[in-house]
Amino acid sequence: MSLTEKPTETPQRKAFYEKIDEKSLTPLWSVMSSIITPEPTSGCQAHCWNYEEAKAYLLEAGGLITAKEAERRVLILENPGLRGQSRITTSLYAGLQLVMPGEVAPAHRHSQSALRFVLDGDGAHTAVDGERTVMHYGDFVITPSGAWHDHGNRTDEPMIWLDGLDIPMISFFDASFAEGYPDDEQPISRKTGDSLARFGANLLPVDFEPRKKTSPIFNYPYERSRAALEQMRTQEEWDPCHGLKLRYVNPVDGGYAMPTIATFLQLLPAGFTTAAYRSTDATVFVAVEGSGRTTIDGKVFEWGPKDIFVAPSWKRIVHEPATDAVLFSYSDRAAQDRLGLWREDRGNH
Ligand code: GTQ
């Protein structure tokens, strides 16, 4: 017996398997090599979605169904290797959400944590636990597990963002709860900007006792994160695998902003080629600025602003930006870290 080969199936063994099958029993040695693999194996494939193409379909959906009727008007980005499963990676979900002028996506709450990454429009809002935040291009917005949230667009242009949720992880644990709010919008009890003032200025309210595992900041404005990268670039300390890469942080404990999903923002200068890198967290990338190409597991993907691409677990990634480029990314690294599972291979860099 080895971890890579199955024992041969003799007629006596086969008869035995069939006999015990009726009793809901199965021999480990027949499945061992496919369930305990020497390296990650999954159906998850590398893929790139062209934003303009997806946006055209999303706007078409805007003429077919309202946000209210749909609850959330979203086109799911389904991994081509995992069709029908509402997943972009084995553990994560991605979708493009449209809120038209004057619309409200009604208030609800669920166990699943969500992130929004704003791609189109300017000035629509999302309300989380009694506070509204106004959304601008590149903002990273969080809806914590169990928090009431509704989205509204009082501007005169369509608003589109990328939704990243831990839906497959919550189904894996069979821990999904969800409920609707009696009204379309939840009552507002805090002023816009309150949480960023309290928690997003390198200060915390004295005697603050965290009650949740998610960051109390629920909008990380792009303007601030982008400015940090721009200041850092003057130092010319590029990581061979990542260029300049920052992780979004929960100021309360220094961990990732969300308990299940890790989020990052990185700057790659024009002409930089990253050293091949792989890690166990399959990652969803959004090109926030610039264009270039990324090779994943030997396959080349060309991307421009707002395009979205996914790299499966343990497949080598090489980025080659043609212009200065900024990539936002998210993965399940937050969960893998806590479980002691996360691994990377920097190829000696
Ligand atoms: O905005 O609350 O893409 O509940 C999927 C499920 C978005 C949301 C999604 C959701 C939401």
Side-chain angles (χ1 to χ4, degrees):
M1 176 55 198
S2 85
L3 276 169
T4 48
E5 276 169 55
K6 281 186 196 174
T8 49
E9 216 169 72
T10 63
Q12 293 97 317
R13 286 176 183 174
K14 197 157 178 276
F16 172 71
Y17 303 158
E18 278 163 17
K19 187 168 64 184
I20 65 169
D21 181 64
E22 288 164 25
K23 302 291 173 194
S24 301
L25 293 166
T26 211
L28 170 63
W29 58 89
S30 297
V31 293
M32 185 98 170
S33 59
S34 49
I35 59 172
I36 301 185
T37 59
E39 286 198 358
T41 54
S42 82
C44 181
Q45 291 173 14
H47 191 72
C48 183
W49 286 262
N50 177 277
Y51 178 74
E52 290 306 327
E53 205 174 272
K55 177 182 170 178
Y57 287 124
L58 190 55
L59 291 172
E60 201 178 322
L64 289 175
I65 191 162
T66 61
K68 190 168 161 69
E69 194 193 345
E71 181 86 12
R72 295 295 184 264
R73 191 201 289 110
V74 175
L75 294 183
I76 302 173
L77 306 183
E78 274 199 342
N79 191 287
L82 307 168
R83 291 308 309 271
Q85 301 177 43
S86 307
R87 301 170 189 220
I88 190 163
T89 70
T90 309
S91 62
L92 295 171
Y93 159 102
L96 286 169
Q97 176 158 183
L98 168 67
V99 184
M100 293 297 280
E103 281 192 322
V104 169
H108 68 198
R109 65 177 176 180
H110 40 66
S111 321
Q112 291 79 2
S113 296
L115 70 86
R116 332 276 169 202
F117 193 78
V118 181
L119 294 175
D120 246 306
D122 191 63
H125 65 267
T126 192
V128 174
D129 269 346
E131 182 181 338
R132 258 187 211 133
T133 187
V134 177
M135 298 191 279
H136 308 288
Y137 185 65
D139 288 358
F140 158 53
V141 177
I142 297 175
T143 309
S145 173
W148 291 111
H149 55 286
D150 48 87
H151 317 299
N153 184 355
R154 296 177 184 167
T155 76
D156 53 13
E157 47 179 3
M159 194 84 191
I160 299 174
W161 60 77
L162 178 75
D163 283 324
L165 285 87
D166 53 10
I167 293 171
M169 241 188 273
I170 286 12
S171 354
F172 173 77
F173 289 116
D174 215 350
S176 178
F177 295 92
E179 63 183 313
Y181 195 78
D183 301 321
D184 281 357
E185 294 182 282
Q186 64 183 293
I188 297 304
S189 54
R190 311 194 75 86
K191 297 211 165 112
T192 292
D194 186 81
S195 51
L196 198 59
R198 284 173 204 269
F199 303 101
N202 298 316
L203 297 161
L204 290 177
V206 69
D207 299 330
F208 175 71
E209 298 276 0
R211 285 193 307 272
K212 290 184 175 170
K213 294 191 187 298
T214 304
S215 169
I217 301 172
F218 69 104
N219 187 348
Y220 292 72
Y222 185 61
E223 200 181 9
R224 288 197 190 183
S225 321
R226 183 67 181 86
L229 286 171
E230 205 53 37
Q231 171 64 35
M232 282 169 67
R233 85 181 297 168
T234 59
Q235 196 71 30
E236 293 281 353
E237 285 169 355
W238 305 99
D239 178 279
C241 298
H242 303 305
L244 287 177
K245 189 169 182 175
L246 298 174
R247 69 180 174 91
Y248 290 89
V249 73
N250 177 347
V252 176
D253 62 6
Y256 293 104
M258 313 170 81
T260 48
I261 310 178
T263 48
F264 308 89
L265 193 70
Q266 77 192 100
L267 174 70
L268 297 162
F272 193 86
T273 298
T274 59
Y277 177 84
R278 59 181 178 167
S279 58
T280 51
D281 54 325
T283 302
V284 180
F285 291 92
V286 183
V288 195
E289 291 178 32
S291 60
R293 63 180 188 183
T294 295
T295 307
I296 305 166
D297 198 24
K299 251 178 105 177
V300 180
F301 299 92
E302 305 269 352
W303 45 262
K306 307 183 188 181
D307 290 346
I308 297 152
F309 55 98
V310 61
S313 166
W314 214 239
K315 301 296 185 203
R316 287 192 176 84
I317 303 171
V318 174
H319 299 298
E320 294 171 272
T323 64
D324 280 3
V326 178
L327 300 177
F328 170 81
S329 57
Y330 71 95
S331 78
D332 63 12
R333 182 168 166 183
Q336 288 198 37
D337 269 351
R338 282 168 189 247
L339 299 173
L341 294 171
W342 185 79
R343 229 198 244 207
E344 68 176 347
D345 171 12
R346 295 179 55 94
N348 295 328
H349 290 279

